């Protein structure tokens, strides 16, 4: 049975499920996904519930990856209508959606957010480089001979004598989180590129197999990493693929502590332990500015202006995705999305900016509004 038939069957079953929504009591919008987008979505949902005849949407914070997994499971009242994400949907996730009958996906770019590396206001504010973040948190780092070794650093001063003589203890999100993905790419990946041998590896194309293997050998990366990728993907890796495997891997010896999707818990732990650092979105830093402070990264403080201007190096776009097959069958989906993308919410004086959202420019916002109104289908 081919994928088109499977998708059609999934859609038929899903529509049957949606048809009985009222009988099941499913007459409100179901939203899952990113903990970073969650505060913005919640504000919109509350206003939407108060100002319209629709019920207030139900929102769950599952993490970006977890939300997309639920969203792409299929069509029907037992699946979410919208998922929030603090990164763009991956091609593999999009393909999973298509295979499961979720063929009409609408992508909505909400704005931008910075990832703060914060500590308690009871402690001195830190100033860190991307390379220092990589050396502190990567699973493997270059040793004295340039070959990668298991991360040996215990204290910040071991990396740079100018940093505090305190243990490296960083509370952060789990692998299902878009914040974790973005931190790995922007902070760890950005730091790894400050190491010439890793930067050179990253720049090699798939056709440069001998050069990639030579660069891997110089870094002490086992040859099996190359062959494993080739066997699993059915094609030879680019240098960037090997680079990601190394650079994006977080140490697992206790220096990095997964704190779940609950950013409030991280703030509580930072208050209890002023020597620790925590990773979360800028909007959450803003909400808790009386308790925690953002470290300077690359000499730049995380602020509304530095993120909007692109000066702050650890910033990323925020999205939500709509399941168009549910629109018109489950009440309020498109209406909620239109409220979220309205001038009063996302415009230059919008209420979401008060919550810390870094806005799109006027032309981008107009295009997003038009795409939501037309339920423009995402193609990847």
């Amino acid at each position: 049975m081919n994928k088109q038939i499977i998708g059609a069957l999934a859609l038929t079953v899903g529509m049957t499920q949606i048809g009985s929504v009222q009988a099941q009591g499913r007459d409100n919008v179901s939203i899952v996904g990113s903990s970073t987008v969650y505060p913005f979505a919640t504000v919109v949902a509350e206003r939407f519930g108060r100002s319209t005849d629709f019920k207030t949407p139900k929102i769950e914070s599952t993490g970006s990856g977890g939300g997309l997994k639920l969203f792409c499971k299929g069509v029907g009242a037992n699946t979410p209508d919208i998922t929030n994400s603090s990164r763009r949907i991956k091609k593999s996730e999009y393909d999973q959606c298509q295979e499961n009958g979720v063929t009409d996906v609408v992508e909505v770019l909400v704005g931008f957010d910075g990832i703060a590396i914060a500590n308690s206001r009871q402690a001195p504010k830190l100033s860190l480089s991307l390379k220092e973040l990589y050396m502190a948190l990567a699973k493997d780092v270059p040793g004295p001979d340039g070959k990668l070794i298991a991360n040996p650093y215990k204290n910040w001063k071991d990396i740079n004598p100018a940093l505090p003589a305190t243990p490296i203890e960083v509370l952060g999100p789990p692998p299902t989180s878009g914040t974790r993905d973005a931190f790995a790419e922007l902070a760890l990946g950005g730091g790894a590129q400050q190491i010439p041998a890793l930067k050179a590896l990253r720049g090699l194309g798939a056709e440069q197999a001998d050069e990639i293997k030579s660069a891997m050998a110089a870094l002490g990366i086992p040859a099996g990493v190359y062959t494993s990728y080739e066997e699993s993907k059915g094609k030879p890796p680019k240098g960037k693929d090997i680079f990601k495997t190394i650079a994006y891997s977080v140490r697992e010896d206790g220096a990095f502590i997964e704190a779940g999707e609950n950013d409030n818990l991280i703030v509580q732990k930072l208050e209890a332990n002023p020597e620790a650092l925590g990773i979360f979105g800028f909007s959450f830093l803003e909400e808790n500015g009386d308790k925690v402070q953002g470290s300077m990264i690359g000499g730049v403080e995380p602020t509304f202006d530095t993120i909007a201007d692109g000066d702050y190096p650890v910033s990323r776009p925020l999205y939500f995705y709509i399941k168009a097959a549910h629109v018109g069958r489950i009440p309020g989906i498109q209406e909620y999305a239109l409220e979220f993308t309205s001038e009063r919410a996302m415009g230059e004086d919008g209420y979401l900016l008060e919550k810390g959202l870094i806005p799109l420019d006027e032309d981008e916002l107009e295009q997003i509004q038009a795409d939501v109104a037309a339920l423009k289908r995402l193609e990847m």
Side-chain angles (χ1 to χ4, degrees):
M1 190 178 293
N2 64 34
K3 288 180 181 178
Q4 286 79 9
I5 295 173
I6 292 171
L9 286 172
L11 187 62
T12 302
V13 172
M15 290 302 102
T16 301
Q17 291 172 326
I18 291 176
S20 61
V21 166
Q22 298 298 333
Q24 296 174 6
R26 172 90 146 75
D27 57 355
N28 64 323
V29 180
S30 172
I31 304 171
V32 295
S34 166
S35 62
T36 301
V37 182
Y38 177 85
F40 304 129
T42 300
V43 172
V44 176
E46 289 170 351
R47 287 186 176 237
F48 181 70
R50 287 197 306 266
S51 63
T52 71
D53 294 330
F54 297 103
K55 288 193 173 183
T56 302
K58 178 187 175 185
I59 308 176
E60 296 177 75
S61 178
T62 63
S64 299
L68 282 158
K69 187 174 181 180
L70 292 166
F71 180 84
C72 291
K73 220 169 185 179
V75 174
N78 60 335
T79 66
D81 310 309
I82 291 173
T83 189
N84 300 319
S85 184
S86 53
R87 59 165 172 79
R88 195 168 194 235
I89 187 172
K90 297 175 183 176
K91 180 65 164 63
S92 59
E93 293 165 331
Y94 175 84
D95 290 343
Q96 191 66 53
C97 266
Q98 301 298 306
E99 289 174 11
N100 290 339
V102 185
T103 54
D104 293 330
V105 176
V106 181
E107 180 178 76
V108 183
L109 174 63
V110 174
F112 301 91
D113 184 44
I115 299 175
I117 295 88
N119 65 350
S120 168
R121 284 198 169 274
Q122 300 169 41
K125 178 179 286 197
L126 291 183
S127 180
L128 300 166
S129 68
L130 290 178
K131 183 178 179 181
E132 287 164 353
L133 279 172
Y134 170 76
M135 298 299 281
L137 294 177
K139 185 175 182 179
D140 297 307
V141 297
D145 62 355
K147 292 186 184 295
L148 296 173
I149 58 173
N151 196 321
Y153 300 115
K154 303 298 182 186
N155 299 305
W156 287 101
K157 73 175 181 61
D158 297 339
I159 297 168
N160 180 349
L163 294 174
T166 54
I168 297 170
E169 182 178 339
V170 181
L171 299 148
T176 53
S177 168
T179 300
R180 170 75 167 265
D181 289 340
F183 180 80
E185 178 183 351
L186 298 168
L188 299 186
Q193 289 186 65
Q194 304 300 312
I195 296 165
L198 284 170
K199 183 178 182 181
L201 171 63
R202 187 180 184 274
L204 296 172
E207 73 283 359
Q208 297 174 284
D210 290 342
E211 289 92 333
I212 290 174
K213 291 174 183 177
S214 176
M216 288 173 61
L219 284 160
I221 302 172
V225 173
Y226 185 99
T227 54
S228 293
Y229 183 96
E230 191 170 29
E231 288 169 4
S232 65
K233 301 293 185 181
K235 60 180 181 180
K238 294 180 286 189
K240 187 176 181 179
D241 298 318
I242 305 297
F243 171 89
K244 287 180 179 180
T245 301
I246 301 303
Y248 295 6
S249 295
V250 179
R251 62 194 296 183
E252 299 170 345
D253 59 355
F256 181 88
I257 302 162
E258 289 184 10
E261 295 287 356
N262 188 341
D263 292 337
N264 284 303
L265 180 63
I266 296 180
V267 170
Q268 290 169 15
K269 288 184 178 291
L270 295 183
E271 286 187 287
N273 179 10
E275 291 186 350
L277 292 175
I279 298 169
F280 39 71
F282 171 73
S283 59
F284 204 79
L285 176 68
E286 285 278 274
E287 286 180 26
N288 294 276
D290 58 328
K291 301 170 186 173
V292 293
Q293 58 191 348
S295 305
M296 295 180 70
I297 305 298
V300 181
E301 192 169 348
T303 67
F304 185 97
D305 289 336
T306 60
I307 296 166
D309 294 342
D311 295 333
Y312 183 68
V314 196
S315 56
R316 39 70 190 277
L318 305 176
Y319 299 87
F320 66 85
Y321 293 90
I322 305 167
K323 193 174 293 179
H326 285 195
V327 174
R329 294 175 170 84
I330 291 174
I333 297 171
Q334 188 173 22
E335 291 83 357
Y336 164 84
L338 288 168
E339 170 60 30
F340 202 132
T341 57
S342 67
E343 193 71 30
R344 61 183 165 273
M346 283 172 50
E348 61 180 21
D349 296 317
Y351 59 79
L352 290 180
L353 275 64
E354 297 171 10
K355 287 289 179 181
L357 181 70
I358 312 300
L360 306 173
D361 66 36
E362 190 174 332
D363 290 342
E364 286 178 311
L365 179 55
E366 287 180 4
Q367 183 60 58
I368 292 297
Q369 290 167 340
D371 291 348
V372 171
L375 294 175
K376 182 181 176 182
R377 177 178 173 175
L378 172 66
E379 299 280 358
M380 290 187 85

